[in-house]
Amino acid sequence: MDDKKLVLPDVATDKPSFSRRDFVSTALGASLMAMVPPGVRSGAWAAGSDAPEKKEVRIGFIPLTDCASVVMAAVNKFDEKYGIKIIPTKEASWASVRDKLVNGELDCAHVLYGLIYGVQMGIGGPKKDMANLMTLNTNGQAITLSNQMKDKGAIDGPSLAKLIAKKEKEYTFAQTFPTGTHAMWLYYWLAAQGVNPLKDVKTITVPPPQMVANMRVGNMDGYCVGEPWNNRAIMDNIGFTATTTQDIWTDHPEKILGTTADWVKQNPNTARAVVAAILDAGKWIDASIANKQKTAEVIAQKSYVNTDTEVIVARMLGRYQNGLGKSWDDKNCMKFFNDGAVNYPYLSDGMWFLTQHKRWGLLKDHPKYLEVAKQVNRIDIFKQGAAAAGVALPKSDMRTSKLIDGVVWDGKDPAKYADGFKVKA
């Protein structure tokens, strides 16, 4: 891209918003800032112990809209402010991302929340201690059904459940990784309709960029994936949006910045710098429509998502159409910063994935939910990165949410929550 054409806000004076009532005061932010080494606060790294241990950071990503803050941190050079160089590395599948994180070929990755927890628990590949440095985005995924399902009368959850109950055939649904977010959104949505995803339908795993092609040739009846591959199905006239994931769980955590616990131990200053740079990028993306449009133009390029800009930009701006004639502006569309509300690695978010892994039999026994979440979610690193970027923090490491079935999740009794669902493995 031509950087000269970019009109960037002055990141040095781009103050974070503290308008959200659940965020602490600027006074606390200032006290946190005092905890951060001077080199971090100034952005001018000294050659001392606070400098990044590793200057070049290879961050893997999958061609999806929500890789945007990682890409823009590099393209707009937010990384240089913190003394590092981010090298976005395009990957073909989540399994590839997992393997390259585990063997050290990648330093960090734009990765599924549930993938990191799956590896941590040894149920999504070889067991290894992992780390979640921050949430990269909330919302912005969807469940697409094929046009053939529409012809059979299945256009939403209730009508799909009615069709499946007829047992005319075995319907197939795709997700992107067995312990990942898309599997959990798909399962949760089907279960909320009374459909058991493990017994009433067949589920398969397909890498995100291959979803549309596989639906086109009839390999599945529906899939859950991130954008732009749901909007692409509509524009290619092969499918429609049955629901968005923000309608399953408003402001759900989606991709995270994942790495291994060993990497953080060896590179704590670099980890902090990466968090700060990506916070700056997310802040910039969410700051204006023009910035989102520019972001869509950048990530549409072949080296990133490799699709048409118009396929990406509409849903990035929250301008939805479902392929069935309905259009709406979605205030809960994909967010990368949202006044700082997006990025905190809430312990309750991590614990939620463990509850679903238990619900669906991926975990045989209840894990030590809070202990695992405290180990994986590196709140200490995030707080340092947030202080360097001038980003406020929430009051609590937990948050409360009501999901599509009306069940409230607050992290207080995860075992009871996991066991409380009628539809489960």
Side-chain angles (χ1 to χ4, degrees):
M1 67 174 291
D2 185 358
D3 287 338
K4 294 179 180 178
K5 295 179 180 178
L6 286 176
V7 180
L8 303 181
D10 183 351
V11 294
T13 58
D14 187 10
K15 303 296 183 185
S17 168
F18 299 95
S19 59
R20 297 177 68 87
R21 288 188 298 175
D22 59 343
F23 272 63
V24 297
S25 67
T26 53
L28 180 53
S31 66
L32 281 166
M33 186 68 81
M35 300 165 56
V36 178
V40 183
R41 296 203 300 271
S42 67
W45 291 92
S49 60
D50 59 337
E53 300 85 355
K54 190 174 174 55
K55 301 298 190 294
E56 289 193 350
V57 186
R58 293 174 59 82
I59 303 184
F61 74 92
I62 291 289
L64 290 160
T65 301
D66 53 25
C67 73
S69 58
V70 170
V71 171
M72 297 311 293
V75 171
N76 282 359
K77 302 187 185 307
F78 293 111
D79 50 358
E80 292 184 357
K81 176 181 173 184
Y82 300 99
I84 57 171
K85 179 177 177 58
I86 291 176
I87 303 173
T89 304
K90 189 174 181 176
E91 303 296 333
S93 69
W94 292 121
S96 173
V97 170
R98 173 200 59 197
D99 294 345
K100 290 183 177 181
L101 277 178
V102 168
N103 67 25
E105 192 171 338
L106 291 172
D107 295 305
C108 303
H110 149 262
V111 65
L112 300 163
Y113 211 127
L115 184 152
I116 291 296
Y117 270 74
V119 175
Q120 176 73 26
M121 302 304 294
I123 58 174
K127 178 176 171 57
K128 190 173 181 65
D129 286 344
M130 304 300 286
N132 167 22
L133 301 180
M134 63 185 295
T135 298
L136 294 176
N137 69 289
T138 55
N139 306 324
Q141 324 296 296
I143 293 176
T144 292
L145 298 182
S146 70
N147 284 345
Q148 288 74 25
M149 298 295 273
K150 176 179 61 179
D151 296 339
K152 293 176 177 290
I155 59 171
D156 53 19
S159 56
L160 175 65
K162 188 175 181 180
L163 177 64
I164 292 172
K166 292 181 179 177
K167 298 184 178 180
E168 294 174 341
K169 57 168 281 191
E170 183 181 51
Y171 293 99
T172 301
F173 294 84
Q175 39 76 21
T176 64
F177 192 82
T179 65
T181 54
H182 303 117
M184 298 304 112
W185 311 143
L186 176 66
Y187 292 2
Y188 204 101
W189 182 69
L190 287 171
Q193 320 303 323
V195 175
N196 190 317
L198 305 184
K199 299 174 181 176
D200 299 332
V201 298
K202 178 182 178 182
T203 58
I204 59 175
T205 301
V206 175
Q210 298 177 24
M211 285 291 190
V212 174
N214 274 276
M215 179 171 276
R216 183 178 286 111
V217 298
N219 285 344
M220 80 276 274
D221 302 291
Y223 61 70
C224 183
V225 73
E227 298 299 341
W229 307 121
N230 299 289
N231 201 30
R232 177 88 261 178
I234 294 172
M235 298 186 76
D236 288 359
N237 195 30
I238 64 168
F240 62 93
T241 296
T243 191
T244 63
T245 53
Q246 51 264 37
D247 282 339
I248 298 172
W249 176 1
T250 301
D251 291 337
H252 68 78
E254 180 50 42
K255 303 303 185 300
I256 60 175
L257 183 65
T259 183
T260 64
D262 287 342
W263 190 87
V264 179
K265 185 177 181 180
Q266 294 164 8
N267 305 282
N269 296 340
T270 303
R272 180 178 59 211
V274 173
V275 168
I278 293 177
L279 282 171
D280 277 357
K283 186 189 304 182
W284 180 84
I285 293 169
D286 279 3
S288 71
I289 291 175
N291 289 358
K292 290 182 179 180
Q293 289 174 327
K294 174 57 70 176
T295 299
E297 292 173 10
V298 171
I299 66 172
Q301 296 174 19
K302 187 175 182 180
S303 54
Y304 302 117
V305 180
N306 190 24
T307 192
D308 303 317
T309 300
E310 56 266 31
V311 179
I312 297 175
V313 71
R315 290 193 170 188
M316 219 175 161
L317 296 173
R319 295 168 184 166
Y320 275 68
Q321 58 109 351
N322 68 352
L324 298 173
K326 178 185 175 184
S327 300
W328 72 100
D329 289 331
D330 194 333
K331 65 180 181 181
N332 299 318
C333 62
M334 185 181 293
K335 306 279 178 59
F336 295 92
F337 183 69
N338 192 21
D339 294 341
V342 166
N343 312 102
Y344 194 80
Y346 290 98
L347 298 177
S348 53
D349 286 358
M351 292 163 66
W352 185 86
F353 286 96
L354 293 173
T355 69
Q356 299 306 298
H357 293 166
K358 176 64 173 65
R359 177 186 183 183
W360 301 118
L362 295 164
L363 291 171
K364 291 183 179 179
D365 303 310
H366 288 291
K368 295 180 179 178
Y369 292 95
L370 185 57
E371 184 177 308
V372 174
K374 284 183 176 179
Q375 183 178 354
V376 175
N377 286 13
R378 294 299 301 269
I379 288 174
D380 56 334
I381 297 291
F382 179 81
K383 285 183 175 178
Q384 294 172 23
V391 174
L393 301 172
K395 293 178 181 177
S396 173
D397 295 339
M398 300 284 193
R399 63 173 180 152
T400 300
S401 305
K402 180 186 286 186
L403 277 69
I404 189 175
D405 52 2
V407 178
V408 174
W409 165 243
D410 59 13
K412 292 180 180 176
D413 193 342
K416 181 180 180 181
Y417 178 83
D419 289 340
F421 294 99
K422 291 181 180 178
V423 180
K424 53 190 174 183

